[in-house]
Amino acid sequence: MPIPSSGVQTLGSILCVVGARPNFMKMAPIMAALGDLRPALALSLVHTGQHYDAAMNHQYFEALGIPQPDINLEVGSASHAIQTAEVMRRFEPVLDTRQPSAVLVVGDVNSTLACALVAAKKGVPVIHVEAGLRSFDRAMPEEINRILTDQISDLLFITESSGRANLLREGIAESRIHFVGNVMIDTLRRNLERAVPLSQILKDAGQNLQDSNAGYAVLTLHRPSNVDDPAILRALLETVLKISRRLPIIFPMHPRTRAMVEKFGMEEMLDVPELLLLPPMGYLEMLGLMKDARVMLTDSGGIQEETTALGVPCITLRNNTERPITVDEGTNTIAGQDPIKILAAFDEIMRSGGKAGRVPEFWDGQASIRIATAIHEWLGNGLRS
Ligand code: UD1
């Protein structure tokens, strides 16, 4: 860990928090950029343990060179209330002991809100990276996490201009909002050359892809709104199977989705040669799959952004997005859960190659440096934004 040894003058200390898979690729470049600052900052990393499987967790730390967490709260899986409460209960003594100048949280998972809430109530300033995104769908647990985390944050870093409008509407002072770009894309750009090719992934998995000459699609699915209801999941999978007859599909399955497929007895319907089921992929494997895909089908937020940065067509299997720039400027099409819309979006991509799209402003690989610079200035100004 880049913690300066005692006796070295530091500008302050930041406690960084990660919990779940989409946090890791955001935190990696931020910690690297903060670690490069002079005068130095004392950094420590807390992992809440929300995600714990090797495939969801350790692989990412290794691939992205994230320092080993100083503390793992080991909360594991539970209901939203229990998981959030357990993170809070276990994070409070860490904060009491470490007494950081600020707590830095990323994204919108339960760990993000839980740690922000503990810090804010103790009067420790909160920094939120990826603030201001709104789907306007409060049935989505992440939307609640986003709104509440932003309300109690002192320094808010946004990835796209919709974030500023959303935050101002919710009464956040303009001086606290900083448009810095997208740290996920910092990680993507840094690792593109290391992406694992499909041939290697297939070799490692001991699998083959049916008729891969025409290319392939990649599917990810894990939102509770898509996978927890058997009728919705069945309809989505039937649509996916139709698509797979025209373009083979690679489907790395999230543990939540696998559990639901087993619970609802849907394994058999997925047992077709055109659909390649894989375990959750590591970061470099997923990047390799995405960059060469003809189309991504997904309900992930991050993948909507990554495909826009890569120029790969994306069909989003949700009725909304909190990342509207991926539709307005990028390669994303919102198709929801409606088979007709999904198939029409797929047809259009096969016909035209999909939207050309452009890379949004500040998705240039430098977002983490902008963040580190702003934090440095803020600490230097005695935390006044
Ligand atoms: C969480 C985030 C979601 C993010 C997703 C990425 C919240 C509210 N949701 O959803 O925003 O897009 O991570 O993956 O924070 N499980 C395992 N192994 C693990 C972790 C989870 O098997 O390492 C299984 C467990 O059955 C668990 C289920 O997945 O109950 C759900 O895990 P949880 O962390 O509650 O939410 P995700 O669906 O992963």
Side-chain angles (χ1 to χ4, degrees):
M1 289 295 302
I3 298 179
S5 56
S6 59
V8 177
Q9 215 193 347
T10 71
L11 193 59
S13 57
I14 308 272
L15 197 58
C16 301
V17 175
V18 291
R21 184 170 66 173
N23 293 162
F24 306 142
M25 52 285 227
K26 294 171 193 162
M27 191 58 83
I30 299 171
M31 288 191 79
L34 287 172
D36 285 343
L37 289 173
R38 293 294 173 272
L41 281 175
L43 297 179
S44 45
L45 181 62
V46 173
H47 191 328
T48 66
Q50 178 174 342
H51 284 174
Y52 43 86
D53 282 352
M56 303 288 287
N57 184 33
H58 306 300
Q59 282 193 19
Y60 282 76
F61 276 73
E62 274 171 33
L64 300 176
I66 307 170
Q68 279 310 303
D70 298 273
I71 293 159
N72 192 322
L73 304 178
E74 295 181 349
V75 294
S77 301
S79 71
H80 283 268
I82 293 175
Q83 189 176 61
T84 308
E86 204 53 42
V87 173
M88 291 179 71
R89 201 175 68 79
R90 297 184 193 195
F91 186 59
E92 183 174 39
V94 175
L95 210 52
D96 287 342
T97 313
R98 300 253 163 177
Q99 302 206 338
S101 315
V103 166
L104 188 152
V105 295
V106 293
D108 55 15
V109 301
N110 286 344
S111 302
T112 307
L113 173 61
C115 294
L117 198 47
V118 174
K121 288 223 170 164
K122 289 201 165 271
V124 178
V126 176
I127 302 168
H128 186 203
V129 175
E130 202 185 84
L133 296 178
R134 296 291 180 267
S135 66
F136 304 100
D137 173 7
R138 290 200 182 188
M140 206 180 164
E142 293 80 4
E143 183 75 353
I144 309 285
N145 294 341
R146 293 181 196 118
I147 294 168
L148 297 178
T149 303
D150 286 341
Q151 277 298 321
I152 54 178
S153 291
D154 297 84
L155 204 53
L156 300 96
F157 291 110
I158 60 171
T159 52
E160 58 168 88
S161 58
S162 72
R164 181 186 302 280
N166 294 333
L167 293 172
L168 292 176
R169 198 180 330 100
E170 292 171 15
I172 309 290
E174 175 127 43
S175 58
R176 296 183 172 191
I177 305 168
H178 296 256
F179 176 32
V180 290
N182 195 325
V183 286
M184 282 242 310
I185 308 306
D186 290 13
T187 298
L188 182 143
R189 295 202 184 290
R190 266 165 225 183
N191 289 286
L192 208 47
E193 283 186 1
R194 299 171 62 217
V196 179
L198 174 65
S199 55
Q200 184 64 44
I201 294 168
L202 293 176
K203 198 169 152 211
D204 292 347
Q207 301 264 22
N208 279 315
L209 190 61
Q210 174 102 348
D211 181 25
S212 61
N213 291 339
Y216 62 88
V218 180
L219 168 70
T220 81
L221 209 56
H222 76 286
R223 295 270 158 229
S225 54
N226 278 340
V227 306
D228 287 6
D229 178 313
I232 294 174
L233 181 57
R234 182 175 294 280
L236 277 172
L237 293 177
E238 277 166 0
T239 309
V240 162
L241 287 170
K242 276 189 194 152
I243 291 176
S244 75
R245 282 177 220 129
R246 295 175 53 196
L247 189 65
I249 298 186
I250 301 174
F251 184 12
M253 229 195 264
H254 187 283
R256 171 191 280 276
T257 311
R258 183 168 291 280
M260 292 301 166
V261 164
E262 282 167 14
K263 181 174 162 193
F264 303 143
M266 293 174 184
E267 296 108 314
E268 231 169 84
M269 74 184 272
L270 298 182
D271 189 10
V272 296
E274 304 83 10
L275 189 62
L276 177 60
L277 303 182
L278 292 174
M281 295 282 99
Y283 182 77
L284 298 173
E285 286 77 10
M286 196 62 203
L287 194 53
L289 287 182
M290 273 193 294
K291 88 178 176 38
D292 293 327
R294 278 185 76 181
V295 52
M296 288 290 308
L297 297 142
T298 192
D299 60 6
S300 153
I303 288 176
Q304 294 172 48
E305 298 184 329
E306 289 167 331
T307 45
T308 275
L310 290 167
V312 171
C314 178
I315 302 176
T316 293
L317 306 174
R318 284 172 43 195
N319 294 321
N320 50 54
T321 180
E322 61 286 337
R323 295 158 158 93
I325 204 159
T326 60
V327 177
D328 298 341
E329 294 187 16
T331 57
N332 192 13
T333 303
I334 304 292
Q337 297 164 328
D338 178 356
I340 294 171
K341 281 194 189 155
I342 298 168
L343 291 169
F346 177 73
D347 281 344
E348 176 57 27
I349 289 165
M350 294 304 275
R351 196 185 56 76
S352 69
K355 296 154 82 172
R358 63 168 185 260
V359 178
E361 187 182 3
F362 285 169
W363 292 23
D364 57 358
Q366 305 295 312
S368 50
I369 294 168
R370 292 187 197 99
I371 289 173
T373 307
I375 291 176
H376 216 238
E377 207 170 291
W378 181 64
L379 289 169
N381 286 339
L383 309 177
R384 282 185 304 276
S385 48

